[in-house]
Amino acid sequence: MNCCVKIDINGVVQGVGFRPFAYHLARRYGLLGYVSNETSGVSIQVEGEKSRIEEFIEKLKTEPPPRAVIFEIKHREIGPVGYTDFVIRKSNDQPKKFVPISPEIATCKDCLAELFDPDDPRYRYPFINCTNCGPRFTIVTDIPYDRKFTTMAPFVMCEMCQDEYDDPNHRRFHAQPNACPTCGPGLTLLNHKLEKIDVPDVISEVCRLLKDGKIVAIKGLGGYHLACDALNPEAVYRLRSKKYREHKAFAVMVRDIETAKRFCYVNGEEEKLLTGTIRPIVLLRKRPRCPVAEAVAPKQKYHGIILPYTPLHHLIVAESGLVLVMTSGNAGSEPIAYEDEDAFDRLKNIADFYCIHNRRIHIRTDDSVSRIWRGNEMILRRARGFAPYPMLLKFNFRERILACGAQLKNSFCLTRDNFAFMSHHIGDLENLETLTSFEGGIEHYKRIFRIEPTLVAYDLHPEYLATKYALSRDHLPKVGVQHHHAHIVSCMIDNGIDGKVIGVSFDGTGYGTDGKIWGGEFLICDYLEFERAGHLEYVPLPGGEKAIKEPWRVAASFLYKIYGDDMFGLDIDFVKYLDRKKWAVIKKMIDRGVNSPMTSSSGRLFDAVSALAGVRKEIYYEGQAAIELEMAATGEAGFYDFDLENAENRTLILLEPLFRGIVSDLENGVGVESISSKFHNTVVEMILKMCLNLRKGRGLNRVVLSGGVFQNILLLEKTFSLLCKNTFKVFTHHRVPPNDGGIALGQVVVANEQAKK
Ligand SMILES: [Zn+2]
Ligand SMILES: [Zn+2]
C-alpha cells in the first residue's frame, strides 16, 4: 500500500553529506519525494510502499554519514502528493529556527588520494575538499549552510566544479567549499617585509625554507600557525625567543601515525584520535631518545602531537619530510591571528615568511587539545573539530541563557531548547584582542543559532572581564554562579547525572561567597545550590595575582604561617636562597593584611610545594610549577600527615603537618622525585578522608572531580583509583574541559535552575 510520510531531522545534518545520502537511500528503496535543508535541520518527504518507507527511516537512523549527528527524527503520515521523482530541493529559510553547524572535518581518504594523484585535476591543490571533509564552521557567515553564506562566496565555480556540485551521484554534490586550481583559492608567499615572492611553486618553496630553519607563518583553517623544523634546536630556540614563550610546550605535527609512534607511545584509542576526522593535538608520552628538540617541550614527559588535517598540511609534511612545530600564530597570551592584516601586524617580529591564501577565515578557532585517560577521551581545549557542536541536555532550558564563562581559558555558552552551544576556546581575557574576540564570538553565535538571550549568567569574581561584560548587559536579568559550583555542575552534565553529589573542585582561582579566593573545595551540591562542606585552610596570598606568577611567595607564606620568623632557622635551600629584602616587604604585606587575599586554592598549594622543593619558583605560563612538580614524581608510596578540623559546620584541612613533613625531608636530603610523589599521595589521602566523612554524614556516594588541578594526570589517576577502591562512584571530565574552559556550561545549568525559583 502506498503512503506519504514527512520526516523532520534535527541535528548536525548540514555540511556533512546528509542530503546526497538521503537521495541515494530513497532511490535504493524506490521512493519518490524530496529532501531539503531547512533552517531547522533536514526535511524529507517520501512517497511509496509503507514497509519500504519504514526501512528507509530505519536506515536514516542507523547508517547516517560519519560526521552527521542526529538529535531527533520526527515523522508523520500526510495525504498523497503524487511525486514523480526524488529530488534535492533548494533550501528554505525559516527565520526563527536554527540548525547546528558542522565543525571542520579533516581531509578524507578520497580527497587525499586525489591530492597525491598526478593525473587528477586537483593534484597538489591545497584546498581540495568534498562533502565528507573540509572547512565548515570557520567559513560560515550565516545559515542555512549554503555557499552564499560562506567565505567561498566570492569564488565562482568553474564548469567542472559546478558539474560536480550539481551531480547527486558525485562526492562533491553540494560541497559548499568545492574548488579547484582553476576557480578556487590559491597560495601566496610573502617575505617578512610582506613582499610577494614569485616562485613557480609556493609549496616547494615553503618546504625549502622550513628545511633551511626558517619560521614560516602558515594560514590554516581557523587561524595562522607558526611553523619550523622541530628537529632543529636552533630554529625552535629562535621561535621561542621571538614568541616570548620561553617554556610552554609547542605542538608537533608529524606526517603519519608511524612517525608519531616512533616519537611517543601511542595506544589504540590515541591512534583513533590522531587519525580521526577531528584531529586534535593529542598529549602522548615521549619515548626515550625522542629526536624532537628538547626545547619543543622542555621538562615535559609528553608531546602534543597532531597529524595533518588540511590538504596544505599534508602537502608540506609529505614533501618536506619534516616534523614541524605548529604553534598558534600569536605572541604571548594573545589569541591566534586569523585575519591577514592582523597576522602581518602581530607576527611581524616572529615570522620570516608568510604562506597565505585568499579564502577568508570568518571566525578564529584554535587547534583542540585532547588526551586519552583510562580509554576515554578527555578534552582539555575544546575548539576546532568540536565547536560549535552543541551539548545535548536531558532537559529543556526555560530561558535563552548566555553564560559568560571565566577569565582564563574563556569560553562562553548559549542555550535554546535542550541545546547548550559551548563556544570554541576563546583564550585568557587579559587583553583587548581576546575581549574583542569574546564579544564578536557571542554576536556570531547569537546570529547563526538564532538566539536572543533572556538571561545572563556570570562568575562572581568582580574583576573578571567576562563578569564585567555580563553586568553591563542592561535590561537582562542576571544570575551570579559560584566558580566551583559551576565546575562541578559542568562535570555532572558531562556525565549526564543530576541530584546531590560530593563535588571536589581542585582549582587555581575561584571567587568565593565570602570574598576569599577558593580552590580546594568540597561541595555538597546539585544543579540548584551548593553547600561548602570543607576546604583547604586559608593562607595569605601576598601580592595577589603576583603570587600566582611567583610561587615562591606562596611557599614563604606557608612557612611563615607555620614557623613564624623561626623559618630562617630551617636548614633548607629555599630559605637559604630567599631574597631577604623582598621577603621583608612581603612579610609586612602579610602582617598588615595588605594586598594579601586569603586563599584555599589547591593550585597554590601545588605551587608552594613546587617552589619549596626547588622545582620552580617563578612561572612563565599558567600551571607551570604544578606541571613540573607532577613531571618530577616517580611513583613512590607513602604520604605526609595532615589534620582535619571541624569549624562552623565545615571541615578544614590543616596543612601544617604536611609542610613540616616536607621540610624535614628536605633537611634530610630526600630527593624532589620522592617528595613530589609523597605530596601527590597526600592530596589523594585528603580527598579520600573528606569523601569518607561526607559519605558517612550525608549518605552520598557519588564523587565528582573537577577543576584545573585535575588536569594533573598523576593526581587524577591516584584519586580515581583510591576512591573507586573505597566503592565510591566517581565522575570525571570527558567532553567538557576540567579547567575553566568548562565553566560556562555549569553556569547555564545553575542559572536555569535558579531562574525556576
Ligand atoms: Zn573529502
Ligand atoms: Zn573549479
Side-chain angles (χ1 to χ4, degrees):
M1 203 190 91
N2 266 14
C3 69
C4 188
V5 174
K6 183 174 188 314
I7 306 165
D8 289 303
I9 301 163
N10 230 306
V12 183
V13 285
Q14 294 191 15
V16 292
F18 202 89
R19 287 176 304 167
F21 156 71
Y23 172 90
H24 287 291
L25 200 60
R27 297 239 156 162
R28 203 161 100 208
Y29 285 99
L31 302 172
L32 307 175
Y34 73 90
V35 54
S36 73
N37 272 350
E38 303 293 327
T39 323
S40 55
V42 164
S43 185
I44 301 173
Q45 286 195 18
V46 276
E47 202 166 20
E49 226 173 274
K50 194 168 183 177
S51 63
R52 299 206 145 213
I53 292 181
E54 280 165 5
E55 284 177 55
F56 173 80
I57 294 173
E58 192 50 35
K59 290 280 183 216
L60 284 180
K61 288 181 190 165
T62 54
E63 290 173 14
R67 287 295 277 165
V69 179
I70 294 173
F71 300 145
E72 189 184 36
I73 297 189
K74 279 193 221 160
H75 54 92
R76 64 188 162 87
E77 234 180 283
I78 55 172
V81 180
Y83 288 111
T84 55
D85 200 357
F86 192 93
V87 293
I88 295 174
R89 278 198 189 164
K90 273 212 169 337
S91 301
N92 275 329
D93 188 29
Q94 300 160 287
K96 293 228 159 130
K97 301 244 179 141
F98 82 104
V99 63
I101 294 168
S102 168
E104 328 308 311
I105 311 170
T107 312
C108 75
K109 272 200 190 104
D110 295 329
C111 285
L112 270 185
E114 292 177 357
L115 185 65
F116 290 102
D117 174 5
D119 294 328
D120 192 276
R122 292 185 182 84
Y123 174 56
R124 296 180 81 246
Y125 181 57
F127 302 92
I128 188 170
N129 67 82
C130 71
T131 46
N132 301 318
C133 73
R136 297 287 186 274
F137 176 57
T138 54
I139 61 165
V140 168
T141 57
D142 206 343
I143 56 170
Y145 178 61
D146 253 334
R147 188 161 173 123
K148 64 174 186 284
F149 294 128
T150 71
T151 59
M152 283 300 289
F155 299 95
V156 179
M157 279 185 273
C158 69
E159 207 175 313
M160 176 188 80
C161 288
Q162 188 69 50
D163 284 350
E164 295 169 337
Y165 184 89
D166 292 333
D167 176 5
N169 290 309
H170 201 282
R171 196 171 95 249
R172 298 203 167 89
F173 174 68
H174 284 208
Q176 306 304 345
N178 190 25
C180 77
T182 313
C183 65
L187 296 176
T188 306
L189 184 64
L190 307 175
N191 65 17
H192 73 283
K193 292 181 191 153
L194 303 178
E195 294 158 343
K196 188 177 171 205
I197 300 181
D198 269 315
V199 281
D201 189 314
V202 170
I203 292 165
S204 317
E205 183 62 10
V206 166
C207 293
R208 194 188 65 77
L209 292 167
L210 288 167
K211 280 193 211 166
D212 199 29
K214 297 289 190 289
I215 298 167
V216 184
I218 300 174
K219 185 174 176 182
L221 269 184
Y224 275 76
H225 281 111
L226 289 162
C228 75
D229 179 357
L231 305 191
N232 177 342
E234 235 168 276
V236 177
Y237 177 77
R238 259 186 82 230
L239 177 57
R240 270 209 184 282
S241 55
K242 286 177 169 238
K243 205 171 150 35
Y244 306 110
R245 181 152 150 169
E246 307 283 335
H247 298 259
K248 199 173 181 181
F250 288 140
V252 175
M253 184 175 277
V254 297
R255 61 181 297 180
D256 51 28
I257 190 70
E258 285 69 36
T259 314
K261 285 176 177 171
R262 274 198 286 122
F263 294 175
C264 295
Y265 297 100
V266 182
N267 67 30
E269 298 303 323
E270 288 160 342
E271 177 165 347
K272 260 189 234 160
L273 210 52
L274 285 165
T275 57
T277 55
I278 296 176
R279 303 208 169 189
I281 295 167
V282 182
L283 300 186
L284 299 170
R285 191 169 269 270
K286 291 181 191 174
R287 280 184 186 277
R289 291 180 298 282
C290 169
V292 173
E294 172 62 22
V296 169
K299 296 199 177 180
Q300 295 277 343
K301 287 178 180 163
Y302 298 87
H303 271 309
I305 299 284
I306 189 166
L307 261 58
Y309 57 86
T310 70
L312 179 58
H313 296 153
H314 278 287
L315 290 167
I316 293 174
V317 291
E319 296 188 9
S320 69
L322 291 174
V323 174
L324 294 175
V325 163
M326 271 294 211
T327 184
S328 305
N330 55 14
S333 62
E334 293 170 356
I336 185 169
Y338 73 109
E339 288 165 316
D340 299 333
E341 292 304 323
D342 181 47
F344 299 154
D345 183 44
R346 284 162 57 203
L347 307 180
K348 63 173 180 272
N349 296 321
I350 309 175
D352 299 320
F353 294 89
Y354 298 84
C355 174
I356 69 168
H357 60 72
N358 53 344
R359 186 179 69 203
R360 200 167 61 77
I361 299 171
H362 187 68
I363 192 149
R364 67 156 60 87
T365 316
D366 291 82
D367 289 326
S368 293
V369 182
S370 233
R371 80 184 310 156
I372 296 289
W373 177 66
R374 286 187 169 248
N376 285 311
E377 184 171 11
M378 181 167 129
I379 299 174
L380 301 173
R381 182 163 79 193
R382 194 178 173 280
R384 178 186 51 75
F386 297 109
Y389 269 151
M391 304 285 295
L392 192 60
L393 278 71
K394 289 178 179 167
F395 55 86
N396 274 342
F397 287 94
R398 290 169 63 95
E399 305 276 344
R400 303 250 164 122
I401 305 171
L402 163 65
C404 297
Q407 177 89 343
L408 298 180
K409 299 188 167 68
N410 178 278
S411 72
F412 58 84
C413 186
L414 280 158
T415 69
R416 63 176 290 163
D417 311 326
N418 59 335
F419 300 110
F421 292 91
M422 279 181 76
S423 78
H424 52 290
H425 164 87
I426 301 286
D428 299 347
L429 291 185
E430 289 179 325
N431 47 51
L432 187 65
E433 272 288 335
T434 334
L435 187 65
T436 309
S437 175
F438 168 76
E439 293 178 350
I442 291 175
E443 290 309 314
H444 186 57
Y445 272 67
K446 276 164 65 177
R447 187 171 58 251
I448 59 174
F449 298 122
R450 308 284 193 258
I451 299 173
E452 198 44 60
T454 56
L455 183 71
V456 180
Y458 62 93
D459 191 278
L460 297 179
H461 202 307
E463 294 306 317
Y464 281 1
L465 291 181
T467 301
K468 289 182 175 170
Y469 172 88
L471 295 177
S472 69
R473 300 300 93 189
D474 299 336
H475 323 301
L476 286 178
K478 299 165 191 79
V479 177
V481 179
Q482 205 281 323
H483 192 90
H484 304 289
H485 188 202
H487 264 308
I488 299 300
V489 172
S490 77
C491 186
M492 292 171 72
I493 297 295
D494 199 348
N495 288 281
I497 61 168
D498 59 9
K500 273 214 180 338
V501 299
I502 301 171
V504 182
S505 181
F506 270 35
D507 199 25
T509 299
Y511 199 80
T513 50
D514 58 359
K516 294 173 181 170
I517 308 293
W518 298 4
E521 309 303 311
F522 294 83
L523 309 180
I524 302 294
C525 67
D526 55 20
Y527 291 170
L528 177 65
E529 53 199 358
F530 74 91
E531 177 199 333
R532 196 183 190 201
H535 59 89
L536 297 181
E537 68 167 289
Y538 282 126
V539 64
L541 201 55
E545 282 295 307
K546 195 126 207 239
I548 298 176
K549 302 237 158 73
E550 298 179 7
W552 68 267
R553 289 172 179 246
V554 196
S557 179
F558 268 111
L559 291 187
Y560 183 56
K561 187 176 179 188
I562 294 165
Y563 298 95
D565 289 325
D566 291 347
M567 67 192 246
F568 287 101
L570 301 173
D571 183 22
I572 56 176
D573 284 353
F574 178 80
V575 170
K576 273 184 225 158
Y577 298 113
L578 193 62
D579 184 330
R580 298 279 185 124
K581 262 193 204 148
K582 279 190 186 164
W583 169 247
V585 179
I586 285 167
K587 188 185 152 186
K588 244 181 227 164
M589 285 164 76
I590 295 175
D591 287 344
R592 294 178 187 172
V594 179
N595 192 17
S596 296
M598 299 300 280
T599 187
S600 58
S601 162
S602 55
R604 297 297 83 76
L605 174 61
F606 274 79
D607 284 357
V609 172
S610 183
L612 186 60
V615 175
R616 181 147 292 282
K617 296 193 171 74
E618 293 182 11
I619 62 165
Y620 299 90
Y621 63 88
E622 195 208 353
Q624 185 179 7
I627 290 170
E628 291 182 5
L629 184 66
E630 176 193 355
M631 296 304 143
T634 45
E636 193 171 312
F639 55 89
Y640 298 108
D641 282 338
F642 56 91
D643 286 329
L644 299 184
E645 180 187 271
N646 288 319
E648 300 166 40
N649 298 328
R650 53 177 199 253
T651 307
L652 294 185
I653 301 172
L654 303 182
L655 302 169
E656 180 171 337
L658 162 69
F659 278 93
R660 285 191 183 275
I662 294 174
V663 165
S664 151
D665 269 357
L666 286 170
E667 286 184 326
N668 292 320
V670 175
V672 58
E673 308 76 24
S674 142
I675 290 175
S676 172
S677 294
K678 277 168 76 180
F679 167 67
H680 277 85
N681 297 342
T682 314
V683 176
V684 176
E685 280 296 321
M686 286 172 189
I687 295 172
L688 174 67
K689 260 217 174 122
M690 288 294 295
C691 290
L692 286 171
N693 287 351
L694 290 170
R695 175 159 71 184
K696 209 164 150 196
R698 312 295 180 104
L700 297 172
N701 195 48
R702 293 183 302 171
V703 180
V704 176
L705 305 178
S706 188
V709 170
F710 282 114
Q711 293 172 104
N712 178 328
I713 218 74
L714 177 66
L715 179 73
L716 182 67
E717 176 60 39
K718 286 182 176 228
T719 307
F720 184 86
S721 49
L722 191 63
L723 288 172
C724 288
K725 220 191 218 169
N726 284 273
T727 67
F728 283 100
K729 185 103 183 73
V730 188
F731 299 91
T732 62
H733 282 270
H734 302 290
R735 296 166 303 159
V736 182
N739 55 49
D740 286 5
I743 285 278
L745 181 67
Q747 288 176 341
V748 293
V749 175
V750 174
N752 183 58
E753 285 302 305
Q754 297 197 350
K756 279 191 206 161
K757 277 187 89 180

